[in-house]
Amino acid sequence: MFRFARPEYLWLLVLVPIAVVVFVVYRRAQRRRLARFGDIDVIRELMPEASPRRVRNKFVLILGALTLMTLALGQPQFGAKLHEVKRKGVEIMLAVDVSNSMLAEDFAPNRLERTKNAVGRLIEQLDKDRVGMVVFAGEAYVQLPITSDYISAKSFVAGLSPEMVPVQGTSLARAIDLGVRSFSDQSRQSRALILVTDGESHDDDPIAAAQRARDAGVVIYTVGIGTPQGAPITVGGEMMKDDEGQMVVSKLDEQTLQQIAVLTGGSYVRASERSVGLDEILKQIGRMEKKEFASMAFAEYNDQFHYLLAAALVLLLVEFGMLDRKNRLLARISIFK
């Protein structure tokens, strides 16, 4: 596994494009000053030893050396040894509704985008817990198995969209059942399922699914995102309409979500414009009994910065040996041309 032990130094790389811009501006200004004395081609014939290419090449070498030294400051490392790490935490399975109704715009810019932002922030707050993700609409799919890799979890959250589930609708029962099956065998009595949806369940029995979750030791926290008044659904820039040509309005169904939460010992939160409610739920999960999990992680890292410093030194030596002007004694050697 590769990592930078001091990634804060990598911000210095922003100086590279700035240096390129400064160099280009300086060279153009230099050409304009020369043009004041006469034709550029004539001036070049009068100064046969001048070599703009050498100046440019020397700059490229210095810039390359500085880039390598900056990367070396970041202290690049490769993982050298895996060992088992034991942590105490809770397994959290996120079940996120990605049906078309989540595109309703009663939350700006829409329900799904607000959910993605809130879930991303929740993952950033996790430390020793494990997290997984189920996406659902008319069907449910495991998007991310239970893991301690929070970076991968955030990348999966960023890609959530209705296109992920081909069957539209909202099947809360399928989402709950799949979420329960997706926990590991290690997490008995330390399982939390967070269900984020507008609650409009179609053609299934989410209450029966919640009872099965309770029997499996899963606590379900529900988040209702939307408003009871509802909002039209915009897909591809057009308002969704039913078979009779009437505009479809998606309304929040709080009653079902409240029943699911109470039945399993969890709680229900209605999202608002200020907060989706996941921070409050995470605090409640923090009070749950912690379970010890075993996972593999890199215990030792080997520093690799010295290779970058050696390469930077080589570039600086080449730059030092390259003259600004053509050398008559070396005129026949093409390496400096």
Side-chain angles (χ1 to χ4, degrees):
M1 180 178 178
F2 178 80
R3 72 172 187 180
F4 283 100
R6 304 294 298 275
E8 60 272 17
Y9 285 109
L10 298 182
W11 284 105
L12 294 174
L13 290 174
V14 300
L15 298 176
V16 173
I18 294 175
V20 172
V21 171
V22 172
F23 178 79
V24 171
V25 171
Y26 171 76
R27 293 294 293 172
R28 287 182 177 177
Q30 193 176 48
R31 285 175 58 88
R32 285 196 296 268
R33 288 196 297 268
L34 285 175
R36 295 175 183 175
F37 295 96
D39 185 82
I40 294 293
D41 294 331
V42 174
I43 294 175
R44 285 178 178 173
E45 292 180 1
L46 297 175
M47 299 186 299
E49 295 179 0
S51 177
R53 182 181 297 178
R54 289 169 180 259
V55 175
R56 184 175 62 251
N57 291 344
K58 286 171 69 68
F59 171 75
V60 171
L61 290 171
I62 293 176
L63 198 63
L66 291 176
T67 301
L68 291 173
M69 287 189 286
T70 301
L71 293 174
L73 283 174
Q75 201 173 339
Q77 298 175 330
F78 276 107
K81 184 184 295 184
L82 277 170
H83 80 136
E84 189 175 76
V85 176
K86 292 186 177 181
R87 300 173 178 173
K88 280 191 173 182
V90 176
E91 283 194 349
I92 302 172
M93 180 61 66
L94 295 158
V96 181
D97 187 349
V98 293
S99 62
N100 283 333
S101 62
M102 291 291 285
L103 298 178
E105 298 178 358
D106 44 4
F107 281 73
N110 59 51
R111 296 173 183 176
L112 184 57
E113 288 302 318
R114 284 294 302 277
T115 297
K116 289 162 62 174
N117 292 336
V119 171
R121 290 195 300 271
L122 179 143
I123 293 173
E124 290 175 352
Q125 298 177 60
L126 299 180
D127 182 17
K128 298 180 181 180
D129 302 311
R130 298 166 69 174
V131 65
M133 189 184 309
V134 167
V135 295
F136 69 96
E139 296 288 343
Y141 300 94
V142 176
Q143 177 72 359
L144 177 70
I146 285 289
T147 181
S148 298
D149 186 353
Y150 301 144
I151 295 177
S152 295
K154 284 200 64 176
S155 67
F156 278 108
V157 171
L160 294 177
S161 72
E163 287 74 22
M164 302 177 73
V165 181
V167 180
Q168 279 303 310
T170 304
S171 178
L172 297 182
R174 287 187 173 90
I176 294 171
D177 287 335
L178 182 58
V180 171
R181 294 196 303 270
S182 300
F183 287 102
S184 73
D185 294 334
Q186 304 178 53
S187 63
R188 186 78 181 181
Q189 305 304 324
S190 299
R191 301 174 173 181
L193 174 62
I194 302 177
L195 185 65
V196 186
T197 177
D198 52 29
E200 289 191 319
S201 184
H202 305 142
D203 302 326
D204 63 9
D205 190 350
I207 304 303
Q211 291 173 339
R212 292 190 290 272
R214 179 192 59 192
D215 295 340
V218 176
V219 179
I220 301 179
Y221 298 89
T222 56
V223 178
I225 182 162
T227 59
Q229 299 78 21
I233 303 170
T234 303
V235 179
E238 297 183 359
M239 295 293 183
M240 181 178 291
K241 297 182 179 180
D242 58 22
D243 295 337
E244 298 177 356
Q246 299 297 317
M247 184 173 60
V248 176
V249 176
S250 174
K251 299 180 180 180
L252 173 63
D253 178 6
E254 291 188 287
Q255 183 177 358
T256 301
L257 297 179
Q258 290 169 343
Q259 291 177 334
I260 291 171
V262 171
L263 186 61
T264 61
S267 63
Y268 166 74
V269 177
R270 183 204 284 188
S272 67
E273 285 292 343
R274 300 184 64 181
S275 172
V276 171
L278 291 180
D279 291 341
E280 180 181 337
I281 288 177
L282 188 58
K283 290 179 181 178
Q284 297 180 42
I285 291 175
R287 293 192 287 269
M288 291 179 62
E289 178 185 351
K290 305 297 188 296
K291 182 72 176 180
E292 188 173 74
F293 304 118
S295 60
M296 301 303 291
F298 286 102
E300 297 179 6
Y301 286 86
N302 291 332
D303 288 321
Q304 308 294 322
F305 67 90
H306 48 280
Y307 294 111
L308 296 177
L309 290 178
L313 179 61
V314 170
L315 293 181
L316 290 176
L317 289 175
V318 173
E319 189 278 336
F320 180 78
M322 184 181 295
L323 303 178
D324 290 334
R325 296 174 176 273
K326 298 177 183 178
N327 192 318
R328 293 180 179 179
L329 298 177
L330 302 175
R332 296 182 181 181
I333 301 178
S334 61
I335 187 173
F336 292 129
K337 289 185 178 179

